[in-house]
Amino acid sequence: MSNVILLILQIIGYIFISIGTFFLLLASIGLLRMPDVYNRMQTATKATTLGALSVLVGIGLIDLGWLPKSLIIAAFIVLTAPIGASALARASYKHGVKLWEGSVVDKYKEEKEED
Amino acid sequence: MKRVLAIIIAILLFVVFAMAFAKIPFGEQMSKYPHYYNPIENQTSNMSLPQHYLTYGKKDTGATNMVTAVVVDYRGFDTLGEVTVLFLASTGVGSLMYVENKAKKKVKRSNAVVETGSKLLFGFIILFGAYIFIHGHLTPGGGFPGGAIIASSFLLLYLAYPKFHAEHKRLNVSESLAGLTFVIVGLLGLAIAGYFLYNFLPFGLPTYLFSAGVIPVIYVAIGVKVGSELTGIVDAMMGVRE
């Protein structure tokens, strides 16, 4: 009985890993396809965070001994990746990196001009 | 022309090194290494030196991490030298960066996300660094990576908070005490068994936390020392800010 459960968990783990690698691939494609820094940052951060998370959970499910460690690493990635991305985006805006010419609103700039 | 010449020289060097490296045996052919001369038993051993480390390392030192066994036990002087180099680097940076009346640099505040995040992560990173250097004899890592991780957590605070400042006197005290612990452990070995850095504590059960004799003690000392040294270097390079 427990063997069946382990097998099912392994299959779920492989599914998780496939989802994760798929999203990592999408992130790298998005990095090439997107027009400006902010769009690229958005694709890369969201998709790689989810992808890495999914791969780590999948590894933990395939070999249950790894589950605590992989969950800790996943928690670290979830905490740090968005913070790093926000700092990078803010720094590039302050450094004067232009938005894509197709973008419509720039509320941050408007707010600054009002001040 | 200069670039072409440089590329040609680089290729020639690569070929020479590749030819030399091709003669070094890999993996299973470890017995091809020359057998080493054992000065204590005054005879040539029946196995090569790497083979000896892998076969007898656990029995000789009690550590399950063979890199630690070699670095702290078999070749303890090498680690002592590395620690000295780091100490000299930190002193050198401190003396080069020392100015009597430092001009205060204006630094802008970082955003709230970075501030909160680094405040949250600081403790976790310290914990992880301590884990790395306490378990140096069991898992990969050891004093140097653990110390670098602890210093990186302080670097995070330096980058997030413009006014953050680690007190230099305390850093110096912890650094010196840790270095002193290393040397005193070595001298105790000299007093008890006649060798500097002799492993005089009981080995305990292998793969348990309290095993491997003096190796964990030395690695905790190295971790604290490297952590406070690198933090001191960061502090000296950041200068006085406002």
Side-chain angles (χ1 to χ4, degrees):
Chain A
M1 189 60 205
S2 63
N3 275 337
V4 178
I5 294 173
L6 282 182
L7 192 68
I8 293 171
L9 278 181
Q10 272 192 3
I11 293 170
I12 296 174
Y14 281 116
I15 293 171
F16 264 107
I17 289 186
S18 341
I19 294 172
T21 41
F22 176 66
F23 271 98
L24 288 174
L25 180 69
L26 284 187
S28 50
I29 293 173
L31 216 54
L32 294 173
R33 292 281 296 155
M34 285 297 167
D36 73 340
V37 174
Y38 308 101
N39 281 316
R40 266 181 240 141
M41 197 99 73
Q42 190 245 13
T43 14
T45 315
K46 281 184 187 170
T48 51
T49 310
L50 179 70
L53 200 71
S54 180
V55 168
L56 283 166
V57 171
I59 290 168
L61 288 179
I62 286 172
D63 188 343
L64 286 178
W66 284 89
L67 192 59
K69 279 179 196 171
S70 66
L71 283 183
I72 289 172
I73 300 171
F76 256 101
I77 289 179
V78 167
L79 276 176
T80 52
I83 297 174
S86 87
L88 276 174
R90 205 175 122 96
S92 50
Y93 191 94
K94 295 227 159 169
H95 213 74
V97 178
K98 292 273 188 309
L99 296 182
W100 178 44
E101 58 264 24
S103 13
V104 193
V105 251
D106 192 352
K107 288 270 186 192
Y108 191 43
K109 198 178 170 188
E110 286 167 19
E111 196 176 298
K112 266 198 170 169
E113 278 164 3
E114 278 171 20
D115 281 347
Chain B
M1 187 59 214
K2 235 179 186 175
R3 186 171 292 173
V4 175
L5 204 66
I7 290 171
I8 289 171
I9 290 174
I11 289 173
L12 278 178
L13 274 178
F14 176 77
V15 169
V16 170
F17 276 113
M19 279 161 69
F21 282 141
K23 291 187 176 168
I24 297 175
F26 270 126
E28 290 302 312
Q29 300 167 307
M30 210 158 56
S31 53
K32 277 189 185 172
Y33 282 108
H35 293 180
Y36 74 100
Y37 172 74
N38 190 337
I40 298 169
E41 291 166 14
N42 195 18
Q43 60 183 13
T44 309
S45 165
N46 60 348
M47 50 176 68
S48 60
L49 197 55
Q51 240 175 336
H52 177 94
Y53 287 151
L54 288 179
T55 320
Y56 295 117
K58 207 162 155 184
K59 205 185 76 186
D60 282 352
T61 65
T64 29
N65 181 356
M66 252 343 100
V67 177
T68 313
V70 172
V71 165
V72 182
D73 196 287
Y74 287 115
R75 277 132 199 245
F77 274 114
D78 192 80
T79 308
L80 191 61
E82 277 174 10
V83 169
T84 316
V85 166
L86 254 179
F87 175 71
L88 287 179
S90 125
T91 332
V93 169
S95 62
L96 281 178
M97 293 290 173
Y98 183 77
V99 188
E100 193 69 52
N101 292 314
K102 282 182 194 166
K104 285 187 178 174
K105 278 187 275 181
K106 276 270 179 200
V107 189
K108 278 180 194 160
R109 274 189 73 195
S110 53
N111 61 352
V113 179
V114 174
E115 283 183 0
T116 321
S118 53
K119 201 192 282 174
L120 192 72
L121 283 170
F122 175 69
F124 285 116
I125 298 176
I126 292 262
L127 189 69
F128 179 61
Y131 168 80
I132 290 282
F133 68 64
I134 289 170
H135 291 77
H137 56 301
L138 303 173
T139 52
F144 291 93
I149 289 166
I150 285 183
S152 76
S153 74
F154 277 101
L155 178 61
L156 196 64
L157 282 194
Y158 271 104
L159 292 179
Y161 294 94
K163 282 182 182 166
F164 179 76
H165 181 66
E167 220 172 306
H168 231 280
K169 274 180 188 169
R170 288 187 189 168
L171 282 180
N172 283 343
V173 167
S174 70
E175 181 185 334
S176 316
L177 280 182
L180 209 61
T181 314
F182 190 177
V183 177
I184 282 175
V185 167
L187 287 177
L188 278 178
L190 186 66
I192 290 167
Y195 297 107
F196 189 72
L197 283 175
Y198 183 79
N199 203 342
F200 60 88
L201 289 175
F203 282 172
L205 291 168
T207 74
Y208 279 80
L209 181 57
F210 290 102
S211 66
V214 296
I215 292 178
V217 180
I218 291 177
Y219 253 171
V220 168
I222 292 175
V224 173
K225 190 169 162 62
V226 171
S228 45
E229 258 160 16
L230 293 181
T231 311
I233 290 178
V234 167
D235 185 66
M237 283 185 156
M238 284 283 184
V240 179
R241 298 156 307 152
E242 195 171 15

